[in-house]
């Protein structure tokens, strides 16, 4: 009570003071940034815009946190953990991602930019930056929740009608996202002060290809809305094509994209996050080399083609999987760049073991792997945020999906400007993918993977395979499975090979402690990381394609007399 009374007295004294000096209310504080005085220069606008970067460009994370790379996101069929993450089982009481704070930040930014004394070109550029980040946030919200309320202006706390508006339809929101991206593509500067570190036109176009591919395929596979699917996929194709035709980018050495101390001159990287010793660092090198790690699944390893361009089930070059040397022999060169090809790291044998025995090599910088910064949270290697390799894949997938919707067929020219550019990367050593009719072919011979999902056309299957291999462990796989409506792939009961690793014999390790290792056939076979049946992940309810809305928001809306509909099945 004494504290409350003291604060009340101070407040009354303040009121009495300003009552005599009314004009003081019009004088902003001189020692702090406030809204009334901040928006006075382009430099301040740029400073505010940098506040968005941490929300969308996390890279490898910082300190001991996970970013989007490696096994930080292992709810998919690429990884085989000992304790597999599962889909949400309950509706959260609060949180759960249902927040519009970044939307509000973007709307404030867009509004205030119009008042800054700048040339119209600068106003248009920074308005485009604001609309780009608003589009990014609404894409994330729609991908998570589906229908969401759309706000394109700053709201006051008293505007209950808008604050508690009902959810807008997904297509309405994504039409607005497309409008924002189109505006940004037309107005954001082609070159900025720090190309590669800041958002420029190419960054907008690259993310536009990603976002519109996601939504176009969602509309096709989930909503059966061919018209919207076509519109969004055309936007994805156009954006990717702009990047390709610009001639601004080319492919670099695969591992250098992920393990370099500096990406400043890397020709493949469109945007990256810079790390500096003593300033901002991460722990990915350590996770990759010094500690036990979640290993890659047998299913993912088997998705890599043989070096003749054929699936391993069809290629005479494939030597089998009994021994790491055989697994790695005569394969797509990216397998050597991504995984340790000379040894298995098995629990009970190696301290930096993998749950599947197959260890990751993709993110390891060899020059610092034995330094203190290579075994801690002090790793300074730069992280790609978005790169040309992805844009090529976005292009060809959009083209292939448009073909299934009545658009032009995939041509050899389409493959040659996308997938075959990836295959021509130094070290990949794969023949070009060809299209004969609507079928994939290599060296003039049509083939069809016996392990293909029969619901997926054979050419599209190969395009998806290329995407999986090229972008593996970069945080895309779960989103890809969601938009393709293929979450059944992550069911470990229905697909036991995603809960399997390397093939070994226990007798080959006589002096090691392998008691905790479970194999498919007792004393030999494939490593089974999750051995307890009760721990296996299953996919048994399509409701998980969308996240549930938190209970407190539904209650808040109800208190205002408004019904906030929960997502289906929750």
């Amino acid at each position: 009570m004494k504290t409350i009374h003291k604060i009340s007295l101070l407040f009354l004294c303040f009121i009495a003071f300003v009552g005599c000096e009314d004009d003081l209310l019009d004088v902003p504080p001189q020692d702090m940034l406030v809204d009334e005085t901040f928006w006075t220069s382009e430099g301040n606008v740029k400073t505010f815009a940098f506040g968005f970067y941490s929300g969308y460009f996390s890279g490898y994370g910082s300190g001991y946190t996970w970013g989007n790379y490696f096994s930080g996101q292992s709810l998919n069929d690429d990884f085989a953990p000992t304790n597999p993450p599962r889909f949400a089982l309950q509706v959260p009481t609060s949180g759960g991602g249902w927040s519009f704070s970044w939307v509000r930040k973007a709307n404030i930014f867009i509004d205030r930019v119009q008042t800054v004394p700048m040339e119209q070109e600068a106003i248009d550029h920074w308005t485009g930056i604001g609309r780009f980040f608003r589009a990014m946030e609404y894409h994330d919200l729609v991908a998570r929740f589906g229908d969401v309320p759309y706000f394109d202006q700053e709201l006051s706390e008293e505007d209950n009608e808008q604050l508690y508006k009902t959810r807008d339809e997904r297509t309405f929101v994504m039409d607005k996202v497309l409008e924002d991206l189109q505006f940004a593509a037309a107005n954001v500067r082609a070159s900025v002060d720090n190309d590669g570190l800041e958002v420029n036109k190419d960054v907008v176009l690259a993310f536009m290809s990603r976002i519109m591919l996601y939504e176009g395929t969602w509309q096709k596979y989930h909503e059966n809305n061919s018209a919207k699917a076509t519109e969004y996929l055309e936007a994805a194709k156009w954006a990717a094509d702009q990047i390709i035709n610009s001639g601004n980018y080319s492919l670099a050495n695969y591992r250098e994209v992920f393990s370099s101390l500096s990406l400043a001159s890397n020709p493949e990287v469109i945007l990256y996050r810079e790390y500096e010793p003593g300033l901002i660092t991460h722990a990915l090198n350590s996770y990759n080399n010094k500690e036990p790690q979640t290993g890659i699944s047998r299913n993912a390893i088997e998705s890599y083609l043989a070096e003749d361009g054929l699936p391993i089930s069809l290629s005479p070059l494939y030597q089998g999987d009994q021994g790491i040397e055989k697994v790695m022999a005569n394969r797509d060169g990216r397998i050597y760049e991504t995984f340790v090809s000379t040894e298995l790291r098995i629990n009970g044998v190696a301290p930096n073991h993998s749950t599947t025995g197959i260890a990751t090599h993709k993110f390891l910088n060899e020059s610092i792997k034995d330094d203190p910064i290579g075994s801690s949270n002090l790793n300074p290697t730069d992280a790609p945020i978005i790169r040309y390799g992805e844009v090529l894949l976005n292009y060809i997938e959009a083209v292939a999906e448009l073909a299934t919707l009545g658009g032009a067929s995939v041509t050899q020219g389409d493959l040659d400007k996308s997938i075959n550019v990836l295959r021509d990367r130094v070290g990949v050593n794969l023949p070009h993918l060809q299209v004969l009719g609507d079928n994939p072919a290599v060296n003039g011979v049509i083939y069809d993977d016996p392990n293909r999902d029969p619901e997926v056309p054979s050419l599209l299957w190969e395009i998806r395979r290329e995407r999986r291999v090229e972008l593996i462990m970069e945080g895309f796989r779960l989103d890809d499975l969601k938009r393709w409506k293929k979450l059944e792939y992550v069911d470990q009961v229905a697909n036991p090979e995603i809960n399997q690793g390397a093939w070994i014999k226990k007798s080959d390790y006589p002096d090691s402690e392998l008691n905790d290792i479970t194999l498919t056939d007792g004393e030999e076979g494939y490593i089974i990381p999750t051995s307890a049946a009760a721990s296996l992940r299953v996919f048994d309810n399509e409701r998980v394609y969308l996240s549930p809305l938190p209970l407190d928001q539904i209650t808040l809306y109800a208190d205002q007399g408004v019904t906030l509909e929960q997502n289906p099945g929750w």
Side-chain angles (χ1 to χ4, degrees):
M1 291 297 293
K2 289 182 179 180
T3 302
I4 295 173
H5 181 62
K6 185 175 182 179
I7 292 173
S8 300
L9 285 176
L10 288 172
F11 181 73
L12 289 172
C13 289
F14 175 75
I15 293 297
F17 173 73
V18 299
C20 298
E21 301 287 340
D22 287 341
D23 58 336
L24 290 178
L25 291 177
D26 299 324
V27 179
Q30 300 299 304
D31 60 348
M32 62 184 297
L33 296 175
V34 293
D35 196 48
E36 292 83 0
T37 60
F38 181 78
W39 304 98
T40 57
S41 69
E42 186 170 358
N44 284 1
V45 171
K46 184 175 182 177
T47 297
F48 190 97
F50 283 150
F52 290 103
Y53 283 48
S54 62
Y56 301 98
F57 307 144
S58 61
Y60 293 153
S62 57
Y64 283 113
T65 66
W66 282 101
N68 295 327
Y69 291 81
F70 196 23
S71 59
Q73 298 182 355
S74 58
L75 202 172
N76 55 49
D77 53 350
D78 285 343
F79 289 101
T82 55
N83 186 23
R86 295 169 175 257
F87 297 106
L89 298 176
Q90 297 179 329
V91 177
T93 303
S94 61
W98 183 268
S99 170
F100 297 85
S101 58
W102 287 100
V103 171
R104 175 178 172 82
K105 182 181 177 74
N107 285 335
I108 290 173
F109 181 76
I110 294 166
D111 176 75
R112 303 300 192 271
V113 162
Q114 315 310 312
T115 69
V116 179
M118 300 184 291
E119 297 293 332
Q120 188 61 46
E121 180 275 338
I123 292 175
D124 292 343
H125 166 76
W126 291 109
T127 301
I129 294 293
R131 293 183 68 170
F132 166 73
F133 282 114
R134 183 170 65 188
M136 292 276 283
E137 181 62 12
Y138 263 115
H139 161 65
D140 289 348
L141 286 166
V142 166
R144 183 185 292 267
F145 297 109
D147 298 348
V148 293
Y150 185 78
F151 306 107
D152 60 2
Q153 58 186 339
E154 177 188 1
L155 301 182
S156 71
E157 295 180 5
E158 291 75 33
D159 192 353
N160 281 7
E161 183 177 350
Q162 283 296 306
L163 286 171
Y164 296 98
K165 66 179 293 189
T166 56
R167 300 163 75 182
D168 289 299
E169 290 187 2
R170 182 180 187 125
T171 52
F172 173 84
V173 178
M174 291 309 299
D175 283 350
K176 295 294 186 182
V177 168
L178 179 55
E179 289 175 11
D180 277 349
L181 291 171
Q182 289 170 331
F183 181 92
N187 291 281
V188 169
R189 292 165 180 158
S191 183
V192 294
D193 290 341
N194 294 290
D195 286 322
L197 289 172
E198 298 178 32
V199 176
N200 60 16
K201 181 177 181 177
D202 286 347
V203 173
V204 171
L205 289 168
F207 275 100
M208 182 176 179
S209 74
R210 178 191 293 182
I211 290 169
M212 288 296 109
L213 178 65
Y214 186 103
E215 193 57 29
T217 47
W218 182 280
Q219 289 296 324
K220 176 186 175 182
Y221 292 109
H222 291 265
E223 311 294 343
N224 297 315
N225 188 336
S226 296
K228 278 300 173 188
T230 298
E231 180 182 358
Y232 298 146
L233 289 168
E234 287 285 6
K237 175 186 173 183
W238 174 84
D241 204 36
Q242 295 295 302
I243 296 281
I244 294 169
N245 292 335
S246 73
N248 292 338
Y249 305 94
S250 60
L251 297 182
N253 173 276
Y254 188 68
R255 277 191 64 229
E256 287 179 359
V257 177
F258 309 101
S259 61
S260 294
L261 294 173
S262 174
L263 290 174
S265 60
N266 191 292
E268 183 172 349
V269 176
I270 301 172
L271 183 71
Y272 69 98
R273 184 178 184 182
E274 188 174 39
Y275 292 85
E276 286 291 339
L279 294 176
I280 182 168
T281 56
H282 59 86
L284 194 55
N285 230 42
S286 186
Y287 296 149
N288 198 71
N289 183 54
K290 296 291 185 178
E291 305 174 25
Q293 60 180 253
T294 298
I296 204 72
S297 70
R298 174 189 168 198
N299 178 273
I301 283 288
E302 292 183 347
S303 68
Y304 284 78
L305 297 170
E307 65 180 6
D308 58 6
L310 292 174
I312 59 173
S313 55
L314 296 176
S315 174
L317 299 180
Y318 181 57
Q319 296 186 12
D321 53 16
Q322 295 190 17
I324 190 65
E325 295 82 6
K326 290 184 177 181
V327 170
M328 297 290 176
N330 308 324
R331 302 292 290 275
D332 177 341
R334 284 169 293 196
I335 202 170
Y336 315 118
E337 297 293 304
T338 305
F339 306 106
V340 175
S341 60
T342 57
E343 64 176 352
L344 294 175
R345 296 180 184 170
I346 300 169
N347 189 8
V349 178
N352 57 345
H353 64 266
S354 158
T355 58
T356 63
I358 301 172
T360 300
H361 188 53
K362 182 170 181 173
F363 307 99
L364 180 64
N365 183 292
E366 301 286 353
S367 68
I368 63 170
K369 70 175 185 177
D370 297 320
D371 292 347
I373 60 174
S375 58
S376 65
N377 65 337
L378 304 177
N379 308 164
T381 50
D382 288 348
I385 300 299
I386 197 162
R387 62 185 180 93
Y388 188 50
E390 181 202 339
V391 172
L392 297 177
L393 292 163
N394 294 345
Y395 171 83
I396 192 59
E397 186 181 343
V399 169
E401 290 289 6
L402 285 166
T404 69
L405 293 167
S409 297
V410 177
T411 67
Q412 190 61 47
D414 291 323
L415 293 174
D416 289 343
K417 68 189 289 186
S418 56
I419 282 179
N420 290 331
V421 175
L422 295 168
R423 293 189 174 193
D424 284 341
R425 187 199 297 266
V426 174
V428 174
N429 302 322
L430 284 181
H432 282 188
L433 179 65
Q434 299 171 326
V435 56
L436 296 179
D438 293 326
N439 302 302
V442 172
N443 295 321
V445 178
I446 291 173
Y447 70 93
D448 187 10
D449 185 356
N451 295 316
R452 173 174 61 88
D453 181 340
E455 295 182 347
V456 181
S458 57
L459 181 60
L460 188 57
W461 180 256
E462 294 307 317
I463 290 170
R464 291 183 180 182
R465 179 206 304 277
E466 198 81 21
R467 182 177 181 88
R468 184 183 191 183
V469 167
E470 175 71 22
L471 302 179
I472 200 162
M473 297 187 288
E474 295 178 43
F476 290 97
R477 186 62 176 173
L478 180 59
D479 281 346
D480 287 345
L481 297 181
K482 282 183 175 180
R483 62 188 178 87
W484 297 332
K485 204 174 183 181
K486 289 296 180 182
L487 284 182
E488 65 263 28
Y489 291 2
V490 308
D491 189 311
Q492 294 176 308
V493 176
N495 306 289
E497 71 277 5
I498 71 172
N499 182 37
Q500 294 175 5
W503 189 96
I504 66 170
K505 285 184 178 181
K506 287 189 176 181
S507 60
D508 289 338
Y509 306 91
D511 298 323
S512 302
E513 296 293 334
L514 298 182
N515 295 331
D516 293 334
I517 294 287
T518 301
L519 304 180
T520 52
D521 297 313
E523 293 302 304
E524 65 181 40
Y526 300 105
I527 296 171
I528 301 177
T530 304
S531 56
S535 298
L536 293 174
R537 179 178 57 233
V538 296
F539 170 71
D540 56 8
N541 196 321
E542 290 198 349
R543 69 180 186 175
V544 298
Y545 278 107
L546 294 175
S547 296
L549 278 61
L551 295 175
D552 64 342
Q553 292 299 311
I554 294 174
T555 301
L556 280 172
Y557 272 70
D559 290 344
Q560 298 295 321
V562 180
T563 299
L564 182 63
E565 297 285 349
Q566 181 59 277
N567 273 331
W570 291 102

